[in-house]
Amino acid sequence: MKFFLDSAKVDEIRYAREMWNIDGVTSNPRHVRSSGKPFLQVIQEIAREFQDTDKTISVEVNPHHTAADAMVEEAVRLAALSPNFVIKVPATEAGFKALWMLRERNIRINLTLVFSAAQALQAARLGATYVSPFIGWKEVNGEEVSEMIAEIVDIYRNYDFKTEVLVAAVRNARQIVEAAVVGADIVTAGFDVYKDAFDHPYTTKGLKIFAESWDATPYE
Ligand code: E4P
């Protein structure tokens, strides 16, 4: 399973690359805003972190675009900036049309803001590289998410779709594990979610116990 970092902060991305061997990055307008930097500057800084690798960086088109042509025009410009960029377009009718047009130009697409298996099926039919169901946004409203992810994974297996299931808006370790149990290809989560997920108080406590024994034992 691949782990992507959901962030546009270069210091977080560098840490995640060096310490956790992160497999890629996803960003969105909210993450770019919290980086405090202009959009084009920050996405190119992130691209430099991954140059000469095949790791992908998902970069979102302007969310004000309501027509497929505008999404396509911007996606073509963004994709030309880095071979690592996968372009995010929303799961709207215009977004699906843009996905289809962009696949014909060999531009890789991450279909974002996905909330149902039907949307995920259409994304795969049209050739998305990634499909991003936002589980955190559903779960916070009390909606079930594991079954939806399992359905998407099953549908893709039934038809041998190559689109990868990128479980997004992941808020905790339990959701990472649930995504893995049903066979999702990728999760993307924020820096603090991974920090918490890789830690366990019993590990810290156990290390202290072992250290005390170590100190009380001659080495040779
Ligand atoms: C995924 O690609 C999105 O960037 C992300 O998971 C959206 O969720 P969030 O910004 O609420 O975490």
Side-chain angles (χ1 to χ4, degrees):
M1 187 190 217
K2 286 183 263 187
F3 282 180
F4 286 2
L5 185 72
D6 205 16
S7 174
K9 291 185 179 151
V10 175
D11 55 340
E12 289 185 352
I13 292 166
R14 194 169 295 154
Y15 185 99
R17 186 171 57 74
E18 288 172 2
M19 296 300 290
W20 306 330
N21 191 22
I22 214 80
D23 299 295
V25 169
T26 50
S27 66
N28 65 36
R30 208 154 65 171
H31 295 321
V32 170
R33 181 184 184 185
S34 66
S35 77
K37 296 176 183 169
F39 173 66
L40 283 178
Q41 179 189 328
V42 80
I43 63 170
Q44 290 179 97
E45 283 181 15
I46 297 169
R48 279 197 287 278
E49 294 294 314
F50 290 98
Q51 63 189 2
D52 305 322
T53 77
D54 59 2
K55 298 185 178 191
T56 64
I57 302 154
S58 291
V59 173
E60 192 153 345
V61 295
N62 180 340
H64 291 291
H65 293 322
T66 50
D69 285 347
M71 292 182 202
V72 168
E73 191 267 326
E74 189 183 8
V76 168
R77 266 190 295 115
L78 294 175
L81 296 176
S82 164
N84 302 85
F85 286 169
V86 172
I87 311 302
K88 287 171 101 173
V89 298
T92 57
E93 189 171 48
F96 283 116
K97 173 73 179 164
L99 157 63
W100 183 15
M101 292 163 78
L102 287 160
R103 281 315 296 154
E104 286 176 348
R105 293 172 179 239
N106 283 325
I107 291 176
R108 293 178 296 173
I109 300 302
N110 177 345
L111 216 282
T112 192
L113 289 165
V114 167
F115 293 94
S116 75
Q119 288 178 311
L121 172 55
Q122 178 66 336
R125 284 187 62 249
L126 297 176
T129 296
Y130 302 133
V131 66
S132 293
F134 276 33
I135 63 165
W137 291 24
K138 271 178 88 90
E139 211 169 66
V140 80
N141 288 322
E143 290 185 48
E144 188 293 316
V145 291
S146 279
E147 196 180 319
M148 176 186 70
I149 302 302
E151 283 176 354
I152 297 170
V153 170
D154 278 352
I155 291 167
Y156 286 13
R157 282 201 192 121
N158 287 346
Y159 295 96
D160 199 22
F161 286 130
K162 301 296 175 234
T163 303
E164 290 186 83
V165 181
L166 196 177
V167 176
V170 168
R171 304 291 184 235
N172 52 53
R174 181 184 53 77
Q175 291 175 334
I176 294 176
V177 172
E178 280 176 10
V181 166
V182 298
D185 302 283
I186 311 162
V187 285
T188 190
F191 187 84
D192 292 341
V193 173
Y194 287 119
K195 267 262 181 218
D196 284 352
F198 300 152
D199 246 5
H200 198 287
Y202 287 3
T203 307
T204 314
K205 197 174 162 190
L207 205 53
K208 191 165 173 284
I209 292 166
F210 289 161
E212 281 162 12
S213 293
W214 180 275
D215 293 344
T217 311
Y219 193 71
E220 290 183 89

